[in-house]
Amino acid sequence: MSDPRHEAARYRIARDNGPDAAEDEQQSGTWSTPEERAAVVEQAIQHAIRRGEFENLPGAGKPLAGLGESHDPDWWIRRKIETENLRGLGPPALALRVESAELEERLDRLTREQDLRDALEDFNARVRHARLQLLGGPPVVTPTRDVEAELAAWAERREQRREAARQAAELEVAERPPRRFWRRRAR
């Protein structure tokens, strides 16, 4: 005697996926060996290919990321840090290297000399503190920054940006068509 629920499930599978899927579902309960299971799975994959379910998948035709690299047990941590663009994680030596590379850009966003001095003093203090720590990991090779030299370079970059903005404004004014005051609308 057949169960009406099973018949309804077979009907829905056949309606949604075609008649071959209903036969696959009917045979799925009769697996007795791993070879039979592999054959049923392979058959299901072939049916899905014929139906076009594997077409236009995201990443199709692209190489697998990380293929050919050496085995890293912490690969998932590194990938998460890269995809999420997380900052401040990892050994202090690496974090300070990244911050040192981006320090000039960060300093250029500051507008006051005292803010610049505070930021440089904080950076130098963290570099010195990291050098004193014996936590292992890569050595801290990030140099401290000379506050006065950085301040002079900051002022020079600031003046260059002002000059470039002034020249761009002059060029814009020169290229603008002249105003014609004598063509006012008659009232």
Side-chain angles (χ1 to χ4, degrees):
M1 184 160 154
S2 68
D3 185 8
R5 291 178 292 180
H6 288 259
E7 294 298 323
R10 283 193 192 104
Y11 172 76
R12 281 192 300 271
I13 291 171
R15 182 188 64 200
D16 295 340
N17 301 326
D20 295 336
E23 293 172 15
D24 292 346
E25 200 278 330
Q26 199 171 22
Q27 294 174 355
S28 66
T30 61
W31 299 336
S32 60
T33 65
E35 292 81 17
E36 289 178 356
R37 178 182 172 144
V40 170
V41 169
E42 182 62 33
Q43 187 179 16
I45 291 172
Q46 292 303 320
H47 287 302
I49 290 172
R50 279 190 231 123
R51 287 190 302 266
E53 293 180 10
F54 293 120
E55 295 176 4
N56 300 325
L57 291 175
K62 297 178 184 174
L64 297 175
L67 196 61
E69 295 178 1
S70 62
H71 175 69
D72 182 13
D74 297 327
W75 64 270
W76 62 276
I77 295 172
R78 293 182 194 278
R79 185 170 296 162
K80 185 69 171 177
I81 290 171
E82 290 171 6
T83 58
E84 299 291 329
N85 197 17
L86 299 175
R87 300 291 175 164
L89 300 175
L94 298 180
L96 285 170
R97 279 189 216 165
V98 171
E99 187 176 348
S100 177
E102 298 170 350
L103 186 63
E104 189 174 293
E105 181 182 320
R106 193 178 109 212
L107 295 178
D108 285 345
R109 289 191 298 258
L110 300 176
T111 56
R112 291 183 23 214
E113 183 178 322
Q114 187 57 42
D115 293 341
L116 183 84
R117 287 181 186 278
D118 293 341
L120 286 169
E121 288 298 329
D122 177 57
F123 176 76
N124 287 340
R126 286 186 286 119
V127 168
R128 286 190 294 272
H129 179 72
R131 287 180 183 165
L132 297 175
Q133 299 299 314
L134 299 175
L135 299 176
V140 179
V141 295
T142 305
T144 57
R145 301 290 182 107
D146 181 17
V147 176
E148 296 305 320
E150 289 293 330
L151 186 61
W154 172 77
E156 184 178 325
R157 289 190 306 269
R158 187 175 181 183
E159 189 57 39
Q160 288 174 353
R161 285 192 307 273
R162 284 182 180 166
E163 181 64 26
R166 187 186 59 76
Q167 288 177 356
E170 286 177 1
L171 183 63
E172 183 180 322
V173 168
E175 291 178 352
R176 190 181 312 154
R179 292 185 176 195
R180 298 180 181 166
F181 295 105
W182 60 88
R183 289 192 174 183
R184 292 188 181 159
R185 295 172 63 189
R187 294 182 189 213

